[in-house]
Amino acid sequence: MSVQDTAGEDSHENARQDVVAVDADDAKQGVVNRLEAHTGDGIRHRAFTALLFDHDDNILLAQRSPDKRLWDTHWDGTVASHPVEGQSQKEATRNRLDDELGVQPSQYTDLRVADKFEYKRYYPNEGVEHEVCSVLKCTLDDTTLDPDEAEVAGLMWVPYERLYENPKWYRQLRLCPWFEIAMRRDFE
């Protein structure tokens, strides 16, 4: 499928970006257009989600902007995106933390890859995520935030274990699927 075949979405910002296509073991298979990777049946590609904590084990949830094409207004585990070709997961995470929340590396010291999993989820009438997703974690020593409203619609600190143990208390939040998977695996 070409980008022009995606119902007039050739002008979408994602049509001008690439992601790293990978096999099930996260080995690079080339680069593909980001919009094509997220339409039709999808193309498996590399992604990450970053979970930021404070020193009381609260997680920072970020609500995705209503302008996001997939999972708009859903709550995510802080930030999520895709590294570009040649970029490490840590470098990509540092960039997204700065771009979306104004969080600088001086505010944390323990950024680490904690997990990796593959998943595939369809977003009704809009597209698909088929990703090998790395989970990165860190603890903020300085919780000062400067969110970009074009990326983040809301922020909320939530007790992480309580969120996991009492999902019905938080069901109105509509969590992103990759965050729900990461959290479930974290407590297994």
Side-chain angles (χ1 to χ4, degrees), residues 5-20:
D5 294 336
T6 59
E9 293 193 5
D10 56 320
S11 62
H12 193 278
E13 128 185 29
N14 288 353
R16 297 184 300 274
Q17 301 170 358
D18 290 327
V19 294
V20 179

Side-chain angles (χ1 to χ4, degrees), residues 17-30:
Q17 301 170 358
D18 290 327
V19 294
V20 179
V22 295
D23 66 15
D25 295 320
D26 198 29
K28 180 182 170 186
Q29 302 296 300

Side-chain angles (χ1 to χ4, degrees), residues 93-105 146:
T93 298
R94 283 187 206 98
N95 289 346
R96 292 313 298 165
L97 290 173
D98 182 19
D99 293 347
E100 292 189 21
L101 300 172
V103 171
Q104 302 299 310
D146 182 21

